[in-house]
Amino acid sequence: ALKFCHEKGYAHKSIDPDHIMIVKLEKIHSVLIKIIGFGSSTRLGATNVTNQFSTQNTLFVAPENNNSKLADKQDIWGCGILFLSLLTG
């Protein structure tokens, strides 16, 4: 899902456990993982507009948070921290 967003030119910028939804698909005995919460998303390469009332979870925000040219890398950072938290509890 994140690759699709990046290919379409958008970055989520707030990947954390609160923005991941898992849907159980009964018929094929599988799950579907969805990304939700696109309130802080931005167009890749767009002029950075900071939100002083940001609700992002700071544990999952990349150090380069204010650099819009690296917005897709911020999503990768968030995924890495998310996976680390899943592995370590």
Side-chain angles (χ1 to χ4, degrees):
L2 198 55
K3 181 181 175 187
F4 177 80
C5 290
H6 291 171
E7 287 173 352
K8 296 298 179 186
Y10 290 93
H12 189 279
K13 292 186 67 175
S14 185
I15 299 292
D16 63 29
D18 294 335
H19 294 133
I20 304 296
M21 185 170 66
I22 301 173
V23 179
K24 186 175 181 182
L25 303 174
E26 297 286 339
K27 290 183 180 181
I28 58 173
H29 304 290
S30 185
V31 295
L32 180 65
I33 299 173
K34 296 182 177 188
I35 299 174
I36 60 173
F38 283 85
S40 0
S41 65
T42 185
R43 188 105 170 108
L44 293 175
T47 305
N48 189 20
V49 178
T50 57
N51 181 359
Q52 63 181 353
F53 302 108
S54 177
T55 59
Q56 291 177 316
N57 185 341
T58 56
L59 295 174
F60 295 87
V61 176
E64 302 87 0
N65 186 39
N66 291 328
N67 188 340
S68 62
K69 294 184 192 282
L70 299 174
D72 55 336
K73 308 297 188 271
Q74 295 170 33
D75 287 346
I76 302 303
W77 174 280
C79 283
I81 300 299
L82 177 65
F83 292 140
L84 180 65
S85 68
L86 290 172
L87 287 172
T88 60

